[in-house]
Amino acid sequence: HVQLVESGGGSVQSGGSLRLSCIVSGYSSGDYCMGWIRQAPGKEREGVASIDNYGNTNYKASVKGRFTISEDLKKNTVYLQMNSLEPEDTAIYYCAADVENPDYTVRCPPRGYVFGNWGQGTQVTVSS
């Protein structure tokens, strides 16, 4: 099955930048959707960005123009470049994936950003 390992989190000041990475293993072929989801303390989980195997992307309104999701197929890695970070971006960021199988047609992003495969998460802290 698909395994995801995130890295790149850390602490930055407001206005700073971070790049999160997600190494993907266990994927062989078929349609897929990769996403980044975050959860701040005491708040609901929220989808941040997604990308499918056709290169279509989708962003949460509050991060458009600041965050960019991309992928490097040769490295089996998905990235989330985060610029102009704000304290409100502080959260644990999770990488997630859905992969096509005979019983499942990929929708990107899935409803409610409820993916079938998740990484362990990486902490992002933005101070004012």
Side-chain angles (χ1 to χ4, degrees), residues 48-103:
V48 176
S50 66
I51 186 168
D52 66 16
N53 51 295
Y54 298 101
N56 299 309
T57 58
N58 186 282
Y59 294 94
K60 176 181 172 60
S62 64
V63 307
K64 280 184 179 179
R66 299 190 298 123
F67 291 11
T68 303
I69 188 170
S70 63
E71 57 185 359
D72 184 331
L73 299 179
K74 292 183 179 179
K75 295 182 178 180
N76 295 326
T77 302
V78 178
Y79 301 100
L80 185 68
Q81 178 67 45
M82 305 185 294
N83 298 327
S84 301
L85 282 161
E86 304 167 352
E88 293 73 24
D89 297 316
T90 295
I92 298 175
Y93 283 70
Y94 298 91
C95 176
D98 270 348
V99 180
E100 179 186 30
N101 64 57
D103 299 318

Side-chain angles (χ1 to χ4, degrees), residues 103-121:
D103 299 318
Y104 182 73
T105 299
V106 172
R107 172 180 173 175
C108 197
R111 182 172 297 179
Y113 270 78
V114 179
F115 286 85
N117 304 279
W118 292 77
Q120 82 286 354

Side-chain angles (χ1 to χ4, degrees), residues 6 9 11 15 24 26 30 37 44 59 68 75 77 91 105 110 115 122 125:
E6 305 101 328
S11 297
V24 183
I37 300 92
E44 294 288 319
Y59 294 94
T68 303
K75 295 182 178 180
T77 302
T105 299
F115 286 85
T122 185
T125 302

